[in-house]
Amino acid sequence: MTRVPVAASPAFIERVRQLPSKFTVTLRAEPGNRFNHAAVAVSSGGETIGYLPPELSRRYFESLRNGPGVDVPGRHAPLAMHEDTGIEVLVDLTGVAVTA
């Protein structure tokens, strides 16, 4: 799966805007998340910049749960996408294990 949107709250926007146009992010399961028990955090430079949307995080949570995380490519979303949806970051999940 490629070009997956990352849900980023306003709290993360400043960090996201400081990133270069293409960058690497780390996906980590976050079982203690009080809003989504199958949350997958998206981090850059050790700081969370957003989360996979809940409908997608359920598919990747178990494969990430017991590991140190997985590095994947990320990039800024096109301006038109940001204006239409508010999405700031896209990540490439090609090669990340999916839970059946």
Side-chain angles (χ1 to χ4, degrees):
M1 182 173 291
T2 62
R3 296 176 42 168
V4 173
V6 172
S9 74
F12 304 131
I13 296 304
E14 286 305 313
R15 174 68 183 126
V16 168
R17 291 186 178 156
Q18 292 173 3
L19 295 169
S21 60
K22 293 182 180 182
F23 45 90
T24 299
V25 297
T26 303
L27 304 177
R28 285 191 181 87
E30 196 174 273
N33 187 299
R34 66 182 182 165
F35 300 107
N36 178 359
H37 297 293
V40 174
V42 179
S43 303
S44 177
E47 295 182 44
T48 300
I49 61 167
Y51 291 86
L52 291 185
E55 62 275 9
L56 290 176
S57 66
R58 287 188 287 275
R59 296 177 61 194
Y60 295 94
F61 180 81
E62 287 300 324
S63 66
L64 297 169
R65 181 179 219 161
N66 296 316
V70 174
D71 290 342
V72 299
R75 67 180 178 89
H76 288 276
L79 182 58
M81 179 180 241
H82 172 70
E83 290 174 349
D84 289 346
T85 65
I87 298 297
E88 296 257 355
V89 173
L90 299 172
V91 296
D92 184 346
L93 298 180
T94 303
V96 179
V98 176
T99 305

